[in-house]
Amino acid sequence: MGNRSYLKYIKKYRYLLLTNLFLFSFFVWIALYIKLAALTDSPDREQRFQILVALFQDPFTRARPYVGLLTSVSEILWCVIATICLVTAVTLWQLRCAHRCGSRFLRAAGIFISVLLLDEVLRVTLLLHALVGIPKAVLYLIYIGGAVAIAIRFGRYVLSATPYFLMMVTIALFLVSGITDALPLTGRGSLILLEDGTKLLGLTNLLVYFWQVSQANLSAAISPAIADSQRS
């Protein structure tokens, strides 16, 4: 009976267990990578240790504590928006409302925004451009293609049941940011504001948009259940 309980527990939380196993294996690999250099008295053992330090290094500096502040705020906004979309989509699925267009829209948007979040945090576009030579414009076109596909699939729902003017403002601001980053423009302060400032403004509008969409879908799903319970 006890073994069955453990198996049921493992089956229920298998994704969490696999995630922990993956992270544990990654840390073990790093430890072995550094330890092997120490055992063989390799001249690059200190460099390997510094790689580990850099991976977990705190970007905070006492001299300039404001460095990267707005970039961190942007990353937090990406994370909050993706969380709102995906948590709402899962909640609607649990309420047996996954068939609704709003639920499917939030699920697709949450996945797409999660991809953009990974690019923002891991700097995928910059890494591929620097290491492989893939132009930034290529990845931007891929992201635009994903956004267009979602717009075509859920365009009628967005225009009829959501505050789409917030989405239009967001798209305009993101386009300004992307074009500024892709083109070889000259300047300093103005380019920073056109690229990163417009992105931050766009994320703020996007957060309000998906908050309202999620709230509307949850209210529509929960209200009938509340009304039925009150009648009974």
Side-chain angles (χ1 to χ4, degrees), residues 3-4 8 25 45 60 82 98 105 151 169 175 179 191 195 202 208 211 214 227:
N3 291 334
R4 290 183 180 179
K8 188 180 296 184
S25 301
R45 61 182 182 276
F60 175 80
F105 170 64
V169 171
L175 284 175
I179 291 172
L191 289 183
E195 180 183 348
V208 176
W211 176 263
S214 298

Side-chain angles (χ1 to χ4, degrees), residues 92 97 100 214-225:
L92 292 172
C97 300
R100 294 185 178 180
S214 298
Q215 198 173 36
N217 277 274
L218 289 173
S219 297
I222 296 173
S223 295

